[in-house]
């Protein structure tokens, strides 16, 4: 049980004591006890939170009781019990300590033992914050609030003065977890890798635009997982940068990738093929369509998208080439740059046409990552810019691992995976067999 949580026995003790004090029946539920306590506090002019408040007092009593119980367990006997005589250790008074909690500062008296080896769990030695406050700070940080914003929020809502350096130390505690996450071992094979990036502002002497790249993998069980985050170089991505990223993934255990879907990132296709020679690199079709519309007037969007759909839904490469030639004949004179963009990327688009319909669906776009990028943007917009690369990656890491209840999350199992797996097994039978037979 978390050291901040109140056990069932402690809840029962609070309920029984409160019931007696407020003339409640012995079997009164906790909700009724709380209601009566609040009513009594209001009648007596006692605030709910803050110094001398009802909740502060209750938390203080729970913490104090838990500390005393811990020392009893440590010593092995109750206060003033005869068993303590000649036991070799005994109680040795208390020392005052102020603990910062989610409802404000709480003063407790930490008990001591004569041998000095009592190490309480409820309020650990050297700690002046309960983990609930740390979790609140990290949660606010993940939502993009700056250390100054968090300090103001804690003061306004909880009347707690927590300086920015303390908040920085709390958020720095996640750096080790982040580094372990970024270097964790990965599966030996991923049917699909999705790669995309989001542009944010980082102050490095001057504020510059930097791209943070996200790699999402879909494993053999159909589970989406974020494999890592990489901050691109100031001058933009390069083959050397992508080869470093791909090599890192291989060193973490990725022996083969069947398909890699990306958005025309410079140097990525060649670096992926250098790492996994048989990988099928597929440009994101949605991005190709969107890029085409950038060159065209809105009045022409409908006929253009209709013709493009005929290309990327074509049953074969020959059919797609015929549809493209018809598309180019209709629009090249009006929008030559649009047609050129398709000719330049045709080689990396065509692998898509060789896939059965079930596989086309999962590499059609990087939308799974784009939903994550939407969360990234929301957090980044609140910040304006990040002071360092580490500050940026801390926030984006926290956003990456956040799971929201009753909301669609970027990670999780793909619908209809069994059908897709059957198609994968037939389409890539030799490569899957080779991986399965590796020692």
């Amino acid at each position: 049980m978390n050291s901040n949580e109140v056990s069932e026995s402690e809840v029962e003790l609070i309920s029984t004591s409160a019931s007696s004090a407020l003339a409640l029946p012995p079997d009164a539920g906790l909700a009724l006890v709380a209601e009566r306590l609040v009513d009594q506090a209001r009648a007596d002019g006692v605030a709910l939170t803050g110094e001398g408040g009802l909740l502060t007092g209750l938390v203080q009593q729970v913490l104090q009781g838990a500390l005393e119980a811990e020392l009893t367990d440590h010593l092995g006997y109750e206060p003033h019990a005869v068993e303590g005589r000649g036991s070799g250790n005994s109680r040795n008074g208390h020392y005052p300590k102020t603990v910062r909690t989610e409802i404000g500062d709480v003063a407790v008296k930490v008990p001591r033992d004569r041998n000095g080896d009592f190490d309480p769990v409820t309020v650990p030695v050297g700690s002046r914050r309960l983990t609930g406050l740390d979790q609140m700070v990290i949660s606010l940080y993940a939502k993009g609030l700056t250390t100054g914003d968090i300090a103001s929020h804690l003061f306004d809502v909880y009347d707690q003065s927590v300086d920015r350096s303390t908040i920085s130390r709390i958020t720095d505690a996640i750096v080790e977890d982040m580094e372990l996450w970024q270097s964790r071992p990965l599966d030996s094979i991923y049917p699909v890798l999705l790669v995309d990036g989001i542009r944010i502002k980082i102050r490095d002497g001057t504020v510059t635009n930097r791209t943070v790249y996200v790699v999402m993998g879909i494993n053999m069980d159909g589970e989406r997982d974020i494999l890592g985050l990489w901050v691109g170089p100031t001058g933009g991505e390069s083959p050397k940068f992508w080869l470093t990223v791909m090599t890192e993934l291989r060193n973490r255990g990725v022996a083969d990738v069947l398909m890699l879907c990306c958005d025309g990132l410079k140097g990525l296709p060649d670096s992926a093929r250098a790492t996994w020679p048989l990988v099928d690199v597929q440009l994101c079709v949605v991005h190709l369509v969107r890029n085409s519309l950038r060159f065209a007037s809105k009045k022409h969007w409908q006929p253009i998208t209709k013709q493009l759909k005929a290309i990327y839904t074509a049953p074969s490469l020959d059919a797609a080439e015929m549809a493209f030639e018809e598309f180019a004949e209709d629009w090249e004179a009006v929008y030559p740059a649009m047609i050129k963009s398709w000719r330049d990327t045709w080689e990396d688009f065509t692998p898509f046409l060789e896939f059965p319909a079930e596989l086309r669906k999962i590499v059609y776009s990087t939308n799974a990552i784009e939903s994550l990028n939407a969360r990234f943007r929301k957090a980044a917009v609140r910040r304006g810019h990040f002071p360092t690369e580490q500050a940026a990656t801390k926030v984006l890491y926290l956003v990456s691992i956040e799971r929201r209840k009753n909301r669609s999350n970027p990670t999780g199992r793909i619908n209809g995976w069994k059908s897709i797996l059957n198609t994968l097994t037939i389409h890539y039978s030799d490569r899957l067999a080779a991986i399965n037979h590796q020692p």
Side-chain angles (χ1 to χ4, degrees):
M1 186 178 69
N2 188 294
S3 61
N4 295 346
E5 294 176 355
V6 182
S7 68
E8 291 182 8
S9 59
E10 288 170 330
V11 169
E12 184 178 350
L13 178 62
I14 294 169
S15 300
T16 303
S17 301
S19 298
S20 177
L22 297 174
L24 290 169
D27 59 348
L30 191 56
L32 181 57
V33 173
E35 183 181 340
R36 292 290 180 87
L37 282 170
V38 171
D39 290 343
Q40 188 65 46
R42 287 174 174 167
D44 294 341
V46 176
L48 291 180
T49 59
E51 186 176 357
L54 173 63
L55 289 178
T56 307
L58 286 173
V59 171
Q60 182 184 46
Q61 290 297 319
V62 171
L63 292 179
Q64 192 67 53
L67 286 168
E68 300 294 349
E70 278 195 72
L71 183 57
T72 295
D73 289 342
H74 176 71
L75 296 175
Y77 61 88
E78 298 289 339
H80 313 299
V82 295
E83 293 86 353
R85 295 176 185 174
S87 64
N89 198 3
S90 60
R91 288 169 172 80
N92 188 30
H94 300 75
Y95 65 91
K97 187 172 188 175
T98 300
V99 182
R100 283 178 172 157
T101 74
E102 294 151 290
I103 62 165
D105 290 348
V106 174
V108 295
K109 294 180 180 178
V110 181
R112 293 182 291 204
D113 66 328
R114 194 161 295 279
N115 291 349
D117 55 7
F118 174 52
D119 188 13
V121 174
T122 303
V123 182
V125 175
S127 174
R128 292 192 173 274
R129 301 184 307 272
L130 296 188
T131 55
L133 180 63
D134 287 14
Q135 290 165 356
M136 182 189 301
V137 167
I138 290 172
S139 175
L140 293 171
Y141 193 78
K143 289 176 171 58
L145 273 68
T146 65
T147 54
D149 293 334
I150 296 171
S152 298
H153 175 82
L154 294 175
F155 183 78
D156 292 343
V157 177
Y158 301 101
D159 197 26
Q160 292 193 70
S161 179
V162 182
D163 59 64
R164 295 171 66 173
S165 60
T166 299
I167 293 170
S168 291
R169 283 194 296 272
I170 293 173
T171 59
D172 284 344
I174 67 168
V175 171
E176 184 178 353
D177 291 341
M178 179 177 70
E179 291 173 348
L180 289 172
W181 175 81
Q182 182 76 19
S183 60
R184 71 195 187 279
L186 301 173
D187 291 355
S188 60
I189 186 167
Y190 284 88
V192 182
L193 289 189
L194 306 172
V195 185
D196 202 3
I198 175 176
R199 188 165 285 195
I200 60 174
K201 295 182 183 296
I202 297 177
R203 187 174 66 239
D204 184 14
T206 59
V207 177
T208 57
N209 288 321
R210 304 283 292 277
T211 303
V212 178
Y213 297 99
V214 190
V215 177
M216 179 182 288
I218 301 174
N219 66 17
M220 290 298 293
D221 294 322
E223 297 285 343
R224 293 187 298 257
D225 188 21
I226 299 163
L227 307 188
L229 302 168
W230 290 265
V231 179
T234 305
E237 72 269 9
S238 64
K240 182 180 178 181
F241 168 75
W242 283 119
L243 186 60
T244 300
V245 173
M246 299 296 107
T247 302
E248 181 180 326
L249 291 173
R250 185 173 181 86
N251 290 342
R252 289 166 61 190
V254 183
D256 197 11
V257 174
L258 304 183
M259 297 175 281
L260 185 146
C261 183
C262 62
D263 177 26
L265 299 171
K266 182 181 177 182
L268 175 55
D270 290 340
S271 297
R273 293 185 184 107
T275 309
W276 304 290
L278 298 178
V279 65
D280 288 325
V281 177
Q282 173 59 52
L283 289 183
C284 170
V285 176
V286 170
H287 281 85
L288 284 172
V289 173
R290 288 177 185 168
N291 188 54
S292 300
L293 298 180
R294 287 197 307 114
F295 297 107
S297 170
K298 265 191 175 181
K299 65 182 180 180
H300 293 144
W301 281 11
Q302 187 173 355
I304 286 174
T305 53
K306 184 177 180 180
Q307 285 186 277
L308 289 176
K309 186 175 182 180
I311 297 171
Y312 64 76
T313 59
S316 65
L317 176 58
D318 289 342
E321 287 177 342
M322 289 178 60
F324 175 72
E325 289 306 321
E326 183 179 340
F327 174 69
E329 185 178 341
D330 290 345
W331 298 105
E332 190 162 23
V334 184
Y335 303 120
M338 178 178 70
I339 302 303
K340 183 177 184 301
S341 70
W342 275 86
R343 294 194 195 280
D344 291 344
T345 57
W346 187 255
E347 184 179 342
D348 288 323
F349 162 71
T350 52
F352 177 83
L353 301 170
E354 299 176 6
F355 300 146
E358 291 85 356
L359 299 189
R360 289 191 185 189
K361 291 178 183 178
I362 58 175
V363 296
Y364 174 69
S365 76
T366 55
N367 281 350
I369 289 187
E370 288 191 36
S371 66
L372 178 64
N373 283 346
R375 296 187 183 184
F376 285 164
R377 289 188 188 93
K378 193 172 182 180
V381 164
R382 291 194 179 109
R383 296 291 299 247
H385 69 271
F386 295 91
T388 62
E389 278 189 26
Q390 189 183 80
T393 52
K394 279 196 300 185
V395 170
L396 300 186
Y397 159 70
L398 290 170
V399 173
S400 298
I401 63 174
E402 182 186 21
R403 300 294 173 266
R404 300 179 183 177
K405 291 183 179 179
N406 302 320
R407 298 281 295 277
S408 60
N409 288 295
T411 57
R413 189 178 177 86
I414 290 180
N415 292 329
W417 178 251
K418 291 296 183 182
S419 174
I420 295 171
L421 181 60
N422 276 276
T423 306
L424 276 171
T425 304
I426 295 171
H427 197 74
Y428 292 103
S429 56
D430 294 342
R431 291 168 65 186
L432 291 175
I435 289 292
N436 291 333
H437 285 90
Q438 283 186 357

